[in-house]
């Protein structure tokens, strides 16, 4: 069976590994980043119509001031982020099943205009449309310096790439001749593009979802 290499940071990496084990996959966690909370000033909740989170890390690392926004309509980019908001005390969260642009369209369709977006220091682009989104970074992803990553990747491995930034780092660390022996599954077309060319195979699911990524991995192992 082809080894599955999970490049995302904890705690998401552990959850991906658990799902992989349930599917009979042999998974190994090799994180490229570690999340770190940032100091931030919380604006008054009364200024906004809705709250948006596009990462579960934002819910986990925003700190106690996140509670200031529990009375706002809350939106999450996906199920994992919605779950993290629920664990942070938000009773009702609208969860999307696409990317940031898709959930932004839903927020606008629900009649909201001014949105507070608690996020990481770097995010995937969002088409705001008619919305006015005020973005505040509440965490950052610190790169784990590991110049020997390429040496730890076995030939015929399947690499899971959960963000464009992870794809960029992977492209820097893995030379073209080694890529020909490695398979790639990225969470989105943007993450796939960031990884560059030359991989044995490279694909992304139809929606940016961990379960869909693992389904593709299962097919590669059949």
């Amino acid at each position: 069976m082809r080894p599955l290499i999970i490049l995302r940071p904890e705690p998401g990496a552990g959850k991906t590994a658990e799902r992989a084990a349930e599917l009979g996959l042999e998974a190994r966690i090799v994180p490229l980043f570690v999340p770190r909370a940032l100091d931030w000033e919380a604006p008054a909740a009364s200024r906004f119509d809705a709250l948006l989170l596009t990462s579960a890390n934002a819910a986990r690392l925003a700190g106690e001031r996140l509670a200031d926004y529990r009375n706002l309509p809350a939106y999450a980019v996906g199920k994992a982020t919605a779950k993290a908001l629920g664990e942070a005390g938000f009773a009702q969260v609208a969860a999307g099943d696409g990317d940031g642009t898709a959930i932004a369209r839903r927020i606008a369709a629900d009649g909201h205009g001014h949105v507070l977006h608690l996020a990481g220091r770097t995010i995937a682009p969002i088409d705001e449309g008619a919305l006015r989104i005020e973005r505040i970074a509440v965490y950052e992803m610190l790169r784990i310096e590991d110049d020997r990553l390429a040496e730890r990747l076995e030939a015929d491995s399947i690499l899971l790439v959960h963000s464009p930034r992870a794809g960029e780092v992977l492209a820097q660390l893995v030379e073209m001749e080694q890529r020909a022996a490695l398979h790639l599954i990225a969470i989105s077309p943007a993450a796939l593009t960031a990884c560059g060319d030359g991989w044995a195979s490279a694909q992304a699911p139809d929606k940016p979802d961990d379960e869909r990524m693992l389904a593709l991995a299962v097919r590669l192992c059949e």
Side-chain angles (χ1 to χ4, degrees):
M1 177 176 290
R2 290 172 172 151
L4 185 70
I5 309 299
I6 301 169
L7 300 174
R8 71 187 305 196
E10 294 289 8
K15 294 179 179 178
T16 299
E18 289 176 5
R19 297 188 190 106
E22 292 171 357
L23 295 170
L25 299 171
E26 298 177 2
R28 183 156 51 97
I29 298 173
V30 185
L32 297 179
F33 302 96
V34 60
R36 181 177 71 175
L38 295 173
D39 292 329
W40 61 287
E41 294 186 9
S46 59
R47 292 177 45 202
F48 304 97
D49 303 324
L51 174 70
L52 168 63
L53 269 70
T54 50
S55 168
N57 281 318
R60 298 185 187 109
L61 299 175
E64 61 184 17
R65 296 304 302 272
L66 179 62
D68 294 356
Y69 308 106
R70 285 179 183 162
N71 290 328
L72 288 175
Y75 292 82
V77 72
K79 292 182 291 184
T81 304
K83 182 180 179 182
L85 275 170
E87 292 170 348
F90 286 76
Q92 293 186 332
V93 181
D97 61 357
D99 57 11
T101 296
I103 195 67
R105 289 173 181 161
R106 178 171 177 180
I107 295 171
D110 286 347
H112 304 302
H114 192 188
V115 179
L116 175 62
H117 181 192
L118 301 182
R121 194 183 291 279
T122 60
I123 65 163
I126 294 176
D127 182 355
E128 299 182 6
L131 294 179
R132 183 158 58 98
I133 298 179
E134 184 171 330
R135 188 167 294 112
I136 298 178
V138 298
Y139 76 95
E140 64 180 347
M141 301 303 294
L142 297 180
R143 178 176 167 180
I144 297 173
E145 297 298 335
D146 182 6
D147 293 333
R148 298 183 59 192
L149 172 69
E151 300 174 14
R152 299 164 61 191
L153 301 179
E154 304 170 38
D156 215 28
S157 293
I158 302 170
L159 313 183
L160 297 189
V161 181
H162 280 79
S163 71
R165 190 177 173 203
E168 292 171 0
V169 171
L170 188 65
Q172 294 170 9
L173 295 175
V174 181
E175 299 292 341
M176 192 66 70
E177 58 268 21
Q178 186 180 10
R179 294 182 193 182
L182 297 170
H183 301 270
L184 196 71
I185 298 175
I187 195 167
S188 67
L192 195 64
T193 299
C195 296
D197 302 321
W199 305 94
S201 68
Q203 55 187 319
D206 56 348
K207 291 184 179 180
D209 181 273
D210 201 39
E211 284 81 2
R212 286 177 170 85
M213 293 176 74
L214 289 173
L216 292 177
V218 169
R219 290 175 197 166
L220 278 176
C221 290
E222 289 177 345

